[in-house]
Amino acid sequence: MSVMVAKESPLKKDLERMIKPCDISKVSMKRKLDRLLQSEAEQNEEIEGPLAKNKRLCKAIEKYLFSTEKEETDEDDDVTVDESYEIPRSNQSARKKRCNALKGKVLNQRSEANRNTKEVAKPVVKKTRTVGRTKHSETNNCRSEIDDLNQNSSSMTSCSSSYTSTSSASCCSSYTSTDCNGYGAEKSIRDTMEKRGKHFKCHQCKRNDRLAVVPCLKCKDKQYCMRCIRQWYPKASEVDIAQACPFCRKICNCNDCLHSKDAINTSKRDIVDQEKAQHLVYLVESLLPYISKIYYDQSQEIELESMILGFDLTEDNIQESSCYDDERIYCNQCATSIFDLHRSCPKCCFELCLSCSEEIRQGRLLGGPEIAPHKYTSRGVDYIHGGYPVPSGSPQFTDPVVTFSEWTANDDGSIPCPQRDRGGCSDGVLELRRILSSGWIERLEERAELIVKDMAIKQTITNPFKMIRDIAYRRNPPDNHLYCPLAKETLTHDGMINFRQHWANGEPVIVQDTLSQTLGLSWEPAVMSRALCENVDSNVKATDCLVNCEVEISTREFFKGYKTGRSYPNFWPEMLKLKDWPPSDKFENLLPRHCDEFISALPFQEYTDPKSGILNLATLLPSSILKPDLGPKTYIAYGISQELGRGDSVTKLHCDMSDAVNILMHTADVSLSEDQLSAIDTLRKKHKAQDRRELQCSQVANEEIDLKSYVSTVEGAALWDIFRREDVPLLEKYLMEHSKEFRDAYCSPVEQVIHPIHDQSFYLTLEHKQKLKEEYGVEPWTFEQKLGEAVFIPAGCPHQVRNLKSCTKVAVDFVSPENIGECFRLTEEFRKLPKFHRAREDKLEIKKMILHAANQAVTKLEEMKSKLESN
């Protein structure tokens, strides 16, 4: 036995209590212990300083609280603290003999004492070596001595600063600031134990047969069993749990806590009335031109209707349609949302928007043949991995073409109801109808102009410093940087103004370290799955990135592959992803605590908060109006750092109708084995040979262009490519010209292109990005998203993502006043897509949103103005 102890009498008392000698030999044992302690103290008095003594005190406390059965039986006498200290050899043999003799007597006396003593459970319970259950022991004796240790060690706090969070020193220093007064809170522990009784119920698993538990010395009410701590809080030590349990820290991931709504305050700062007025004035001023445009278009339609009817028509004379607030009305021709004036058939209720009415009169309605969706079929497993397609015995048919009947306006400008193939009844004329009350938009425009004139406020920036990141290599240097602030800087006024300047220019923004603004709730997929009450046999529908189709897989297998990876029988990596899981309309209800945690991480909450963002138009809709589904949405996907070229874990090139922010909440690094790497090299050669046979591939003419080759870093988890709005026409042209060089479902060559971006059929590899820059001078902003980073994507910016690790991302859409024009443009693009197209539906209803958001903002400003005038 090697013993290093100090002269402090409390430590001596603790060792006496731990050894627990019987009454018969107590005097003898104490004498031997005194000699042992005196001998050690004399040898170490000149060697050890205050720091070493404090370390030993902290280790002694840790040993009493968290020692295992093995330490109790075999290592109780081995109290060595400072491993760097070496006992002189001359004293080792004599010391060993004394310790062995003492150890034998102690063990014999302890076994005899335990047979006669009723054992009481400790507040922090020790496990047995065999079954992992609680070993009961007398606790009151040592607890009072531990209290003395805390009182006598005045410099213990300074010692704790050099320790990690899992060390006892750290625990001692942090406990002194709590109500429990550190480990020495004997009275608090006793009171807590009296309330609990002998049975301990784990707050996490709700089981009361878990005897090995760690109680919380802060709330004195909750305790967590060791099994749950290891499984659900692997980064927390027993000391951390005892100091403040997950429930006190508001990161508990038990089912009850995960389903508690409004458990935390998601807002990062309070906005005073003056700042709120500034935001609302800025919002109304930004929306005013679009309100005027909407009113002008409706006035033109009313004038045209007056000419058709032969008398002056006012809104009072227009019949009001029966429309409830909780329903949406869409144009039967283009699927655009109808918010006010429209045309309707009195016989069959066919409804037409004003944009389609104008196109019919001008003879440019998309009326000719309607393209049917192309259906890709599987060509066999071997074909997917570079082989030849399976011979098909059935003849190949071309996609059917649907031809619509001709639809033109009458000579006087009126529009007849279309034929049945277009959804009409071909009987009667479409009449003008309204939804809003008469003169509502006109009055809104007048109120908005007046409030902007009276309350206009100039906003200036006092700190022009900006954090930027170089992520592109275009000829124009200002376009090569992106604003990249820290999350804490987004809470300042200057941070908001900086963001607004870049955002108004259509530039993405990257915010770092957003998770530092949260409490630290676990985003482990297993935690989320358990919160959804998913059992081990449940299945989910995931997308297989290689064949671009849905596959059914058990929840357990999917999340196992998330951590360790999956592969096909030929060792090619299998990339799966769960998009929008759980469904976005259920995310807030099924995972309310995770939803609150995500909202608390959102930077620039005036824009992004889906519940109360004052500059988010979606939050300003009245409660009676049916709101668009903008999230939050969860994306969980596999990923590896190597670019495979086929079957990568990607989100293909697309363009969102609204603004969006995407935060990387969790990652898992999956490494490939040597066999996989060898198989990948072999299969990629087969893929290239297959591409040369079937695709119109061309080599890059200039291999030394200035687009930097991408090499992933350790921190990066997702590779983003975001294109500028002004580059969209050239990007579309490139994709149309090179569409035959891409593959789609079942690894079949792309055979149909409706819209090169909205189809979401293309992902630009490094080779294609090099060609794009060489041929058209177009280069995206390319950067890595790290854990905790938030990526802001402006509306109208095409973008694509490749996962370099297994990633859990959460995204939410929002509608900012700076990008209303892009929302208008995209709405017009989407309405011209074929009826079967995935992006055709007007889910945003931007015109309705503008009118109702402006009305809400103007009403609030009028209230503020009248309040100021009254004061």
Side-chain angles (χ1 to χ4, degrees), residues 656-852:
D656 295 324
M657 183 183 290
S658 62
D659 306 305
V661 56
N662 182 300
I663 302 181
L664 183 58
M665 308 299 294
H666 182 272
T667 64
D669 199 355
V670 178
S671 58
L672 301 179
S673 64
E674 293 295 332
D675 292 337
Q676 282 184 291
L677 293 174
S678 177
I680 289 173
D681 291 338
T682 302
L683 290 171
R684 289 183 70 177
K685 294 177 182 177
K686 292 182 64 177
H687 295 166
K688 290 182 179 179
Q690 185 186 49
D691 291 343
R692 286 192 293 268
R693 292 195 307 267
E694 299 180 355
L695 303 181
Q696 300 175 3
C697 297
S698 60
Q699 299 297 327
V700 179
N702 184 7
E703 297 290 347
E704 298 181 356
I705 56 178
D706 59 345
L707 183 68
K708 304 301 180 184
S709 298
Y710 170 74
V711 178
S712 62
T713 63
V714 176
E715 298 84 5
L719 178 66
W720 285 74
D721 295 301
I722 304 180
F723 291 86
R724 299 180 300 180
R725 292 168 181 164
E726 53 267 33
D727 292 333
V728 170
L730 294 177
L731 176 62
E732 293 178 356
K733 185 177 180 181
Y734 173 86
L735 292 174
M736 293 298 294
E737 291 178 353
H738 295 268
S739 62
K740 300 301 182 183
E741 301 176 18
F742 293 85
R743 294 183 179 273
D744 202 353
Y746 302 105
C747 294
S748 301
V750 172
E751 298 177 2
Q752 184 186 61
V753 180
I754 305 299
H755 192 284
I757 295 177
H758 302 324
D759 290 353
Q760 299 187 27
S761 299
F762 301 103
Y763 178 83
L764 295 169
T765 61
L766 179 61
E767 178 184 354
H768 277 290
K769 285 187 284 187
Q770 288 175 336
K771 285 198 224 177
L772 176 63
K773 181 164 186 179
E774 182 187 51
E775 296 178 13
Y776 293 99
V778 173
E779 180 186 352
W781 289 292
T782 301
F783 58 91
E784 287 181 355
Q785 183 184 19
K786 301 177 179 62
L787 180 65
E789 284 189 343
V791 179
F792 283 77
I793 310 104
C797 288
H799 56 281
Q800 62 180 21
V801 188
R802 181 168 71 86
N803 297 312
L804 308 176
K805 298 179 182 179
S806 293
C807 297
T808 298
K809 305 178 196 140
V810 185
V812 66
D813 298 335
F814 61 98
V815 184
S816 63
E818 290 85 356
N819 293 324
I820 294 296
E822 282 300 309
C823 296
F824 263 82
R825 184 185 68 81
L826 289 170
T827 300
E828 287 298 310
E829 278 191 5
F830 290 165
R831 63 179 290 273
K832 295 177 181 179
L833 297 172
K835 291 185 177 181
F836 67 83
H837 204 280
R838 69 173 75 184
R840 183 170 183 264
E841 183 181 353
D842 181 15
K843 299 178 181 179
L844 191 60
E845 301 182 279
I846 185 62
K847 295 181 180 179
K848 179 197 287 188
M849 186 180 294
I850 288 173
L851 295 177
H852 286 287

Side-chain angles (χ1 to χ4, degrees), residues 413-482:
S414 61
I415 301 175
C417 188
Q419 299 290 335
R420 294 185 181 275
D421 59 351
R422 292 184 179 271
C425 63
S426 69
D427 186 14
V429 176
L430 301 182
E431 299 177 354
L432 194 62
R433 296 283 187 270
R434 62 178 172 86
I435 296 176
L436 300 175
S437 59
S438 176
W440 190 87
I441 298 179
E442 182 181 8
R443 291 194 299 272
L444 174 62
E445 182 184 19
E446 294 174 353
R447 293 166 57 208
E449 290 176 347
L450 182 61
I451 203 72
V452 168
K453 182 179 179 181
D454 292 344
M455 302 184 66
I457 302 173
K458 265 193 174 181
Q459 299 189 17
T460 58
I461 183 169
T462 58
N463 182 14
F465 176 75
K466 305 176 183 180
M467 294 185 63
I468 58 175
R469 183 186 297 182
D470 295 336
I471 54 177
Y473 303 91
R474 307 184 189 96
R475 294 180 179 178
N476 189 6
D479 288 336
N480 297 331
H481 313 302
L482 288 184

Side-chain angles (χ1 to χ4, degrees), residues 108-141:
N108 292 334
Q109 293 163 2
R110 179 182 297 177
S111 61
E112 182 179 353
N114 288 342
R115 286 193 298 269
N116 302 324
T117 305
K118 186 176 180 180
E119 299 173 344
V120 181
K122 288 185 178 182
V124 180
V125 187
K126 305 177 183 180
K127 301 180 298 179
T128 63
R129 180 169 44 183
T130 54
V131 297
R133 301 266 175 161
T134 304
K135 179 176 179 179
H136 301 284
S137 60
E138 295 184 13
T139 60
N140 292 336
N141 293 334

Side-chain angles (χ1 to χ4, degrees), residues 88-278:
R89 294 183 177 273
S90 60
N91 297 329
Q92 284 184 5
S93 60
R95 188 176 305 147
K96 186 175 182 181
K97 291 179 181 180
R98 294 197 304 269
C99 292
N100 288 339
L102 177 61
K103 182 177 179 180
K105 290 183 179 182
V106 168
L107 293 178
N108 292 334
Q109 293 163 2
R110 179 182 297 177
S111 61
E112 182 179 353
N114 288 342
R115 286 193 298 269
N116 302 324
T117 305
K118 186 176 180 180
E119 299 173 344
V120 181
K122 288 185 178 182
V124 180
V125 187
K126 305 177 183 180
K127 301 180 298 179
T128 63
R129 180 169 44 183
T130 54
V131 297
R133 301 266 175 161
T134 304
K135 179 176 179 179
H136 301 284
S137 60
E138 295 184 13
T139 60
N140 292 336
N141 293 334
C142 68
R143 289 298 162 184
S144 61
E145 306 303 335
I146 295 174
D147 189 29
D148 295 337
L149 282 174
N150 273 331
Q151 295 175 359
N152 294 335
S153 56
S154 59
S155 60
M156 189 178 295
T157 305
S158 62
C159 166
S160 65
S161 61
S162 61
Y163 271 63
T164 61
S165 62
T166 58
S167 68
S168 295
S170 175
C171 177
C172 293
S173 63
S174 56
Y175 265 76
T176 55
S177 62
T178 63
D179 295 337
C180 299
N181 192 21
Y183 287 113
E186 177 187 9
K187 185 177 184 304
S188 300
I189 295 174
R190 287 180 179 175
D191 294 343
T192 304
M193 294 305 299
E194 289 175 1
K195 290 192 295 183
R196 292 180 183 141
K198 295 184 179 180
H199 298 284
F200 302 99
K201 183 177 180 180
C202 174
H203 178 75
Q204 182 82 18
C205 62
K206 304 298 185 290
R207 295 182 60 171
N208 59 2
D209 59 344
R210 305 288 197 200
L211 297 181
V213 300
V214 178
C216 176
L217 300 179
K218 182 177 182 181
C219 66
K220 307 180 184 66
D221 182 55
K222 304 290 188 298
Q223 52 269 332
Y224 289 75
C225 69
M226 294 300 300
R227 181 178 298 182
C228 289
I229 292 173
R230 294 191 186 99
Q231 182 176 2
W232 302 113
Y233 309 97
K235 296 183 179 180
S237 66
E238 294 91 337
V239 174
D240 297 330
I241 302 296
Q243 177 183 357
C245 67
F247 182 85
C248 294
R249 299 173 190 261
K250 297 184 179 181
I251 60 171
C252 180
N253 56 46
C254 72
N255 282 336
D256 291 343
C257 293
L258 289 181
H259 290 90
S260 59
K261 294 186 176 181
D262 301 324
I264 64 173
N265 181 21
T266 59
S267 178
K268 289 300 163 191
R269 68 189 190 98
D270 297 327
I271 302 178
V272 297
D273 289 344
Q274 181 180 0
E275 188 176 0
K276 186 180 295 185
Q278 291 179 357

